[in-house]
Amino acid sequence: KVSRALASSVDDSTGMLVLFASAVQGWMVRGPVAAPLVQQQQQQQQLDAARAAAPAMKVSRRASENAGKVEEEKLYSPEEAVALMKELATAKFTETAELHGNLNLDPKYNDQQIRTTVALPHGTGKSVRVAVLAEGAAADEAKAAGADLVGMADLIEEIAAGNLNFEVLLATPPAMPKLAKLGKVLGPKGLMPSPKAGTVTAAPGEAVGEFKAGKIEFRTDKQGIVHVPFGKCDFEAGSLSENLAALTKTIEKNRPSGCKGKLWSTATLSSTMGPPIKLDVAALRTFAGVV
């Protein structure tokens, strides 16, 4: 009888694993090999070899040259960053100017989230389609202000069917109870109206005018970062700078109550296809007049 586990071996001819187990009094246990280790290692080696042989993603000469014009370790003043961003926006289309702010927030807590709107003085340079859920006089007001879609039951049915042919959805207070069933459709797209974001309003005409003129909504993502467009790179540098200042003020004004210590970790500017340009956060706050 065998009272202790002594050895294990693999029978190469049959692919069977033989175990001598102490738990079984003298019995020899045989069982099939579920997934031979050697075979798994060979498959992994083949996969690694295939990945190594795959061609690396090519970086265009334009992108490489632009990246070389940005000093990686330098913190740029807002004026320097805007000017450099415009210089490096050399794609064949008009690129968007973007601010990426890494904030000292943990959005899993309700008191460490930002969701708000900003009215950019010079607009975004983009045409925005606005839909409004309203009836009666409020609907007439929205249409007169230039809303692209106005309705109630019919518009709700369109949204429920997945037809989201708009960038902004406004709702009058009476419409909100009817929107509950649309949470799964609108929520993931960031289109659910909210009083905090200014998209639930009793004056839809005024709100339509603001969003058409360049008012935008933004929020922190799951990592506590805000990604906000603030114009087109063919704007004058002064116009982009004023938009950037208004955006920075809005972020500071909406500092969450749960934020401890400094609000900003890092901030960068970039065009749609351009390299990131690191901002001097202290200079950015001074530039925006918030210190």
Side-chain angles (χ1 to χ4, degrees):
K1 292 183 178 181
V2 180
S3 59
R4 300 289 180 192
L6 300 176
S8 65
S9 63
V10 176
D11 186 338
D12 293 332
S13 62
T14 62
M16 304 294 288
L17 178 64
V18 182
L19 301 174
F20 296 89
S22 60
V24 182
Q25 303 242 334
W27 293 90
M28 183 172 69
V29 181
R30 292 172 63 89
V33 178
L37 180 60
V38 174
Q39 183 179 0
Q40 289 181 345
Q41 291 175 336
Q42 290 174 343
Q43 290 175 344
Q44 186 61 46
Q45 290 172 354
Q46 292 173 354
L47 181 60
D48 292 341
R51 288 174 176 169
M57 183 179 293
K58 293 183 179 180
V59 177
S60 70
R61 184 174 65 181
R62 182 191 66 82
S64 179
E65 290 175 351
N66 282 348
K69 295 178 181 179
V70 179
E71 296 181 39
E72 189 173 346
E73 300 302 321
K74 179 178 178 178
L75 297 178
Y76 289 82
S77 70
E79 298 89 345
E80 290 176 324
V82 167
L84 183 57
M85 178 186 64
K86 283 176 59 63
E87 177 187 342
L88 301 182
T90 56
K92 294 181 180 180
F93 60 93
T94 303
E95 299 182 52
T96 298
E98 303 168 357
L99 169 69
H100 305 276
N102 187 356
L103 306 179
N104 182 30
L105 300 174
D106 187 349
K108 71 180 180 181
Y109 300 107
N110 290 333
D111 63 351
Q112 295 193 44
Q113 300 174 5
I114 291 178
R115 182 183 179 183
T116 188
T117 58
V118 57
L120 298 174
H122 301 280
T124 63
K126 177 183 177 182
S127 177
V128 178
R129 287 182 60 84
V130 179
V132 181
L133 288 166
E135 292 178 309
D140 295 337
E141 180 185 340
K143 290 177 183 177
D148 298 280
L149 298 169
V150 181
M152 186 62 80
D154 55 340
L155 184 52
I156 289 175
E157 289 180 7
E158 286 289 314
I159 295 172
N163 298 321
L164 305 177
N165 190 25
F166 50 83
E167 286 79 41
V168 177
L169 177 62
L170 304 178
T172 53
M176 289 307 293
K178 302 175 183 180
L179 281 178
K181 64 180 182 180
L182 299 179
K184 292 183 179 180
V185 178
L186 297 172
K189 301 289 185 180
L191 293 172
M192 178 63 81
S194 162
K196 189 174 181 180
T199 46
V200 176
T201 174
E206 180 181 343
V208 168
E210 291 175 345
F211 279 99
K212 287 284 188 178
K215 187 175 185 178
I216 57 173
E217 180 187 354
F218 65 92
R219 67 175 71 189
T220 46
D221 65 12
K222 293 181 180 179
Q223 285 72 45
I225 303 173
V226 290
H227 308 275
V228 193
F230 63 96
K232 294 291 185 179
C233 290
D234 62 353
F235 283 17
E236 294 292 333
S239 298
L240 284 173
S241 294
E242 289 178 13
N243 279 358
L244 177 60
L247 175 56
T248 303
K249 285 181 181 178
T250 299
I251 294 172
E252 288 281 346
K253 181 180 178 181
N254 288 274
R255 176 191 177 106
S257 60
C259 178
K260 307 301 181 185
K262 63 181 182 179
L263 174 61
W264 298 81
S265 295
T266 61
T268 61
L269 294 189
S270 70
S271 60
T272 305
M273 303 297 291
I277 302 168
K278 296 179 181 178
L279 285 167
D280 183 327
V281 172
L284 175 64
R285 298 180 73 243
T286 300
F287 169 76
V290 294
V291 291

